[in-house]
Amino acid sequence: MNDIVIETRNLTKYFGKTLALDHLNLQVPRGCIYGLLGRNGAGKTTAIKLMLGLLRPTTGTATVLGCDCQNLTPQIRQRIGYVTEGHRLYRWMKIGELAKFQQAFFPGSWDDKLFNDMLDYFELSKKQKIKTLSNGERAQVSLAITLAPNPELLIMDDPTLGLDTAIRRQFLEGMIQLIERQGRTILFSSHILSDVERVAERIAVIDRGVLRADCKLEEFRAAVKKVRFNFAEAVPGQVDIPGLLHSRQNEKELELTLIGTTVEQIDTWAKSAGATYHKDIDMNLEDQFIEFTAPDTNRSLFQWEEIK
């Protein structure tokens, strides 16, 4: 059995003259929870739609479960669960009617008990019409519809959008339980980085269509750091330290965002620059992601940023 469930090779997509995805090379291993991260407009949804054959690439290729994404067979599609951004459902249907409609596509794998159990947990009735549901309730139905066929591969585009904190946590725990079943793989994008941090084993960071990181979550967490240096005199005019991403300073204090810089390199630079003291600043995944994808510019965005 192939250990790579999703693979893209130089996957590129233009919309007219606008480049949405630039030569994406990605491999998603079997049996992991893989987080796809990026700012709005970075190319995450475009990448997912290309993987599912919903868009045609300008150049490059992608395979899912060993099948070319432009020629996914009905048998392959039955092994894939897909939660769309915004949870688009047929609004004129009742929940029960939608379940029967969806079940027809998965005659051998639909788990009616699982679907009913999820409706009970969400306190939803099969008699309710989709158009009467709140955004959060539509998200709940979408999750139940997608999980009921027990997909081998689950691809989700912002799956927790519209869910409150308690339901989000329960869903994330369900993701972990799903992955523990042999052969299950999950690829998901999310704007809620605390969710990613809780469940993802590997992450990919896409920035303006370009893949900038593809590694284990713990490797990313260890690589991106922020260090504050204090000086008795003025801050040095030039900062020459390996892995420098961004710098911020005032009269006697310098704050550096670094990637892949070792403790020894930081200590050596601090000594050569005449720093009297330096320390690491705690960052969560969201802080690290923002720093990692922030544009390299000193221009202030808002007027109040000029106020000292």
Side-chain angles (χ1 to χ4, degrees):
M1 183 179 289
N2 194 342
D3 289 333
I4 301 300
V5 175
I6 299 174
E7 182 173 17
T8 68
R9 295 182 180 179
N10 295 319
L11 195 62
T12 303
K13 180 63 179 178
Y14 278 88
F15 292 101
K17 295 183 179 180
T18 301
L19 178 61
L21 201 64
D22 188 4
H23 291 82
L24 178 68
N25 290 291
L26 200 64
Q27 289 187 333
V28 178
R30 183 178 301 278
C32 79
I33 301 179
Y34 198 106
L36 192 60
L37 311 183
R39 293 170 178 252
N40 286 336
K44 304 186 303 300
T45 297
T46 297
I48 287 174
K49 288 183 176 180
L50 287 167
M51 294 172 190
L52 290 168
L54 302 177
L55 288 175
R56 185 171 294 276
T58 304
T59 61
T61 62
T63 59
V64 172
L65 298 172
C67 184
D68 185 279
C69 289
Q70 292 304 300
N71 299 289
L72 293 179
T73 65
Q75 292 77 16
I76 292 292
R77 291 190 181 277
Q78 284 186 356
R79 296 161 60 191
I80 302 171
Y82 175 40
V83 177
T84 64
E85 183 181 24
H87 306 286
R88 298 177 180 88
L89 303 172
Y90 294 115
R91 295 176 60 86
W92 64 87
M93 286 187 176
K94 296 179 181 178
I95 294 176
E97 293 171 339
L98 181 62
K100 287 183 179 180
F101 174 77
Q102 190 76 357
Q103 184 177 1
F105 295 97
F106 303 94
S109 59
W110 183 269
D111 188 336
D112 209 41
K113 183 179 184 305
L114 174 60
F115 179 76
N116 292 331
D117 287 346
M118 293 185 71
L119 288 189
D120 288 342
Y121 181 85
F122 293 137
E123 298 181 351
L124 294 170
S125 167
K126 289 185 176 180
K127 296 180 180 180
Q128 290 177 267
K129 282 198 172 184
I130 301 299
K131 67 180 181 181
T132 67
L133 303 179
S134 66
N135 289 336
E137 288 170 334
R138 284 201 302 274
Q140 292 164 354
V141 173
S142 181
L143 296 178
I145 287 286
T146 305
L147 291 176
N150 284 309
E152 178 181 338
L153 169 63
L154 190 58
I155 298 179
M156 299 182 289
D157 196 353
D158 258 336
T160 57
L161 191 67
L163 300 181
D164 64 33
T165 303
I167 298 298
R168 269 201 359 254
R169 174 158 298 194
Q170 196 244 4
F171 172 66
L172 293 171
E173 291 172 354
M175 284 174 60
I176 295 173
Q177 293 175 10
L178 179 65
I179 207 65
E180 289 175 348
R181 302 180 185 181
Q182 186 177 5
R184 298 299 193 268
T185 305
I186 297 174
L187 170 70
F188 76 108
S189 70
S190 179
H191 289 92
I192 305 174
L193 283 246
S194 59
D195 288 355
V196 176
E197 192 168 12
R198 183 173 288 115
V199 301
E201 300 168 46
R202 293 187 64 90
I203 62 168
V205 179
I206 299 177
D207 185 23
R208 285 166 285 189
V210 177
L211 180 67
R212 291 193 53 199
D214 177 16
C215 59
K216 291 183 178 179
L217 176 61
E218 60 192 34
E219 292 174 352
F220 184 84
R221 297 282 282 124
V224 180
K225 61 188 71 174
K226 185 181 289 185
V227 185
R228 181 174 293 138
F229 300 83
N230 293 86
F231 297 85
E233 304 297 332
V235 172
Q238 176 139 2
V239 178
D240 186 13
I241 183 172
L244 178 63
L245 286 176
H246 306 290
S247 66
R248 300 177 182 86
Q249 68 180 69
N250 56 33
E251 186 178 352
K252 294 184 179 182
E253 197 171 76
L254 177 65
E255 191 175 273
L256 302 181
T257 303
L258 308 167
I259 181 166
T261 313
T262 66
V263 173
E264 291 76 15
Q265 288 171 325
I266 293 171
D267 291 342
T268 299
W269 185 85
K271 184 176 180 180
S272 66
T276 58
Y277 174 74
H278 68 278
K279 69 172 184 177
D280 289 352
I281 300 173
D282 289 337
M283 290 195 293
N284 56 30
L285 179 61
E286 183 173 1
D287 297 331
Q288 292 178 304
F289 170 77
I290 290 172
E291 291 286 349
F292 185 67
T293 59
D296 185 16
T297 177
N298 293 320
R299 181 176 63 86
S300 297
L301 179 62
F302 301 110
Q303 183 178 359
W304 60 78
E305 291 186 294
E306 302 288 350
I307 300 174
K308 302 295 184 182

